[in-house]
Structures are given as C-alpha cells and as structure tokens.
Amino acid sequence: MEEHVCFQKLRPLHYPLVRYHLWRGRRVSAFDFDCDIKRSARLARLVDEGKVERIYIRPYTAEHGEAIDLVDRLYQDLKERPLPRAAAALLGDDAHLVFKKCLLERAFQRVYARRHLEALTQGGARALFIPESRALAALQSAAYALAALVQVATWAALSLAASIRPRREAARVRQAIALDQTFQLKFQGRRSFDFLLDDADLRREETVFLLNIPVSDSWRVPLERAGYRFLRAAGPSDLAREGARVPWAILASSLRAAASALFSKAGLEERQAFFRCLKAQLCWSAVHERVRFDHYIYANREDSSQIALNAAMR
C-alpha cells in the first residue's frame, strides 16, 4: 500500500522530518495555501527535484462554499466572545466581518485538506496528515496580543510628541488613491500609478495618493515637485513624520480593548482579527487627522486587513 505524508504548512524546521519520510520511501507533499512553500532554499530544492509534491490550491472550489457555511454556523456563538465584542465597540458591527474572514481562511484550509486526504484514501493509499504546530499557533496568538498593546503605546508616544508642535489643519481633497503594493510604482504609461487621473473627472490637484508601503524620497520628492500629493501612511512612524496624531479618546478606548485582548482566552484567528481591527482604527484615525476626502480608491484586495480598513472608514 502506497503511503502519503501531507504537511498542512511546510516550514524549514520540518526539513529533517521530510528527509526521514523520504528515506522510508513515502510520498511527501505539502499544501501551498500561502504561496510560500519555496521560501526555504533547502525545501525549494526538494520541490524542484520532485521529491516533495507542491499541492496547488485551486481557486473557487466547492470547498470554499463549504468553509463559508461552516463559519456562518460557528460564528453565531463566537461573536459574543470578548474580542469580537471589543472590536465591534471600536469599529461597529462591520468588525465581525474581519473575524469571519480570518476564521474562513483557517476553515478553508482544514476543509480543503480533508477533501484531499479523503481522495487519497479512497484511492487505496494510506495518508498521514501533519497539521501546523499547536505550540507555534499559541506563540503567534500571544504575539498578536502583545502587538496590540505595542501599537497603542506607539501611537500614544507619537501623539504626545506631535501635540507639542502646532496643529495643522487637515487638507481637503476629492479623492484618495491607495498605493498598497510595490508593483504599482514600477510601471509607466498606461499602467503608471496615476493611470486613473484624466484631468477631467479625476484631477491631480484634487487627489492625494496614500503611500501604504515604504517608498524612497528619490521616488516621491520629484513627483511632489511635479504637482502630485502624497501622504506617507505605511505605519506609525511615517504618519508621525506627516504630523499625524490619534485623538486621545480613541487611544483610551483602544487601550482598554487591547488590554482585554491580552488577558482574554482566545485563539489565534480571534487575536489576529482583533489586532487588524485595532490597527486599522488607529491608522485611519491618524490619516483622518491629516487629510479628508469624499472617495477612497484602492486596488482589488479581499484580505482581512482591507476589510478592517473599510470598517474603520465607515
């Protein structure tokens, strides 16, 4: 009987275990849910040599629908837990969408893996599934809880420093266009970062570009001299350089919520979702202190961070 060993996520620390199973003559495969299976050079070599099978994740499968139904059922009870309620107090009911998205990512992985293993065993093979480490998940969960407190403390320190300087009025423009990914800065012509501007309905002087990724001054400054407007928003330090601050009332409510995250019993997905809600609330409050606009335009993104930002904007 053929033996299969399937890893939910292949990490560098699994290399000796992979070698052991290959030595025993077993077929080794790994799901590539995050598209990072070849990040480790040694593991990438095994994949390229065909010794480890890379299981590509098909888009828009029946497993997606099954995972959505599962999360809808589970979340009826989960939404009354402390962290979803704390996030909803910050962002409103839309915060629940962030939690459902984080849960959905994990639920889909489990459903997809189960269906794959069922197909193997029905074909007569023996399958061994190696899930992600619970200890690693616990460490990641604790890291998100601490990161929430650090985020609040960082903004408190930066806002205190900013309060010493004279406060500048927020600029007013018609629209903001988010630049979220490096590839948006690389092209010229029709695919340039400003391709939406037509000098008619969307004009340069009525637009601010939100730089949600770090960019060099050598790229930004010449464009500012040419009449483009940018707001550096890649993180607290960037926004602080722009003179942004977070109102004290929002900092106080965020601190209470972050403390509840630190001491509450919650899983990785809950703390991950809460952190993204908190971060979106703080960053968006700072952006709102520097610029106001009627329309927000961003590239198509479906991740939980964007959902949290949309909730903060409302």
Side-chain angles (χ1 to χ4, degrees):
M1 179 182 293
E2 189 174 39
E3 293 183 304
H4 287 254
V5 178
C6 296
F7 289 82
Q8 181 180 351
K9 185 176 180 64
L10 200 56
R11 298 182 182 276
L13 58 86
H14 290 136
Y15 184 79
L17 186 58
V18 171
R19 278 295 185 185
Y20 168 75
H21 287 299
L22 290 173
W23 175 71
R24 292 295 301 269
R26 296 165 181 154
R27 293 190 60 179
V28 178
S29 58
F31 295 96
D32 196 14
F33 291 111
D34 300 324
C35 300
D36 62 351
I37 194 173
K38 298 178 73 173
R39 186 170 296 177
S40 164
R42 292 196 299 177
L43 293 175
R45 191 177 305 113
L46 293 178
V47 173
D48 292 338
E49 293 173 352
K51 295 178 180 178
V52 173
E53 178 188 358
R54 181 183 191 178
I55 303 174
Y56 290 93
I57 311 305
R58 303 187 308 276
Y60 310 114
T61 64
E63 289 84 355
H64 282 93
E66 187 176 345
I68 290 172
D69 292 340
L70 177 61
V71 170
D72 282 339
R73 292 194 303 270
L74 292 175
Y75 198 71
Q76 294 304 311
D77 296 326
L78 289 174
K79 69 180 181 181
E80 298 302 326
R81 290 167 63 92
L83 289 191
R85 293 177 63 182
L90 293 175
L91 299 183
D93 288 341
D94 283 347
H96 293 298
L97 298 175
V98 184
F99 283 80
K100 293 178 76 172
K101 180 63 175 180
C102 289
L103 289 169
L104 178 61
E105 292 170 358
R106 181 54 58 93
F108 169 72
Q109 291 184 14
R110 293 301 176 89
V111 171
Y112 198 94
R114 188 180 70 224
R115 291 284 179 254
H116 180 82
L117 294 173
E118 287 174 353
L120 287 177
T121 54
Q122 288 172 3
R126 178 182 296 170
L128 172 64
F129 178 61
I130 301 179
E132 282 202 86
S133 166
R134 290 185 179 182
L136 181 59
L139 286 174
Q140 290 175 323
S141 180
Y144 274 115
L146 289 173
L149 278 176
V150 170
Q151 191 79 194
V152 177
T154 300
W155 270 117
L158 293 174
S159 297
L160 180 61
S163 66
I164 300 173
R165 300 188 296 270
R167 189 166 189 166
R168 291 183 290 168
E169 290 295 322
R172 184 77 195 187
V173 295
R174 186 184 178 200
Q175 59 268 331
I177 299 177
L179 300 178
D180 298 310
Q181 301 178 62
T182 305
F183 79 86
Q184 292 175 277
L185 314 180
K186 292 182 177 180
F187 302 105
Q188 301 294 328
R190 294 182 180 181
R191 298 186 66 186
S192 175
F193 74 95
D194 64 343
F195 75 97
L196 288 173
L197 302 183
D198 59 6
D199 292 328
D201 294 324
L202 296 177
R203 302 170 60 188
R204 183 185 305 182
E205 57 269 23
E206 298 176 341
T207 303
V208 63
F209 290 92
L210 296 184
L211 296 172
N212 294 327
I213 51 175
V215 301
S216 65
D217 289 345
S218 61
W219 183 88
R220 176 181 55 85
V221 172
L223 290 168
E224 286 181 331
R225 291 172 180 161
Y228 291 93
R229 303 174 70 174
F230 297 98
L231 181 72
R232 291 169 291 178
S237 59
D238 267 358
L239 283 164
R241 284 196 290 269
E242 295 283 1
R245 65 187 77 177
V246 176
W248 294 112
I250 292 178
L251 282 171
S253 62
S254 299
L255 179 59
R256 290 192 296 269
S260 71
L262 184 64
F263 297 107
S264 65
K265 293 182 179 179
L268 171 59
E269 291 76 22
E270 281 184 84
R271 283 183 169 159
Q272 179 187 55
F274 174 79
F275 172 74
R276 289 177 179 169
C277 289
L278 181 74
K279 182 180 178 181
Q281 168 77 336
L282 292 169
C283 288
W284 191 252
S285 298
V287 168
H288 201 245
E289 286 285 304
R290 295 303 310 123
V291 63
R292 309 287 175 88
F293 41 82
D294 300 319
H295 307 286
Y296 181 69
I297 304 169
Y298 63 93
N300 182 32
R301 290 175 58 194
E302 299 177 349
D303 60 3
S304 54
S305 295
Q306 185 62 54
I307 296 172
L309 184 58
N310 292 346
M313 281 191 285
R314 297 190 184 100

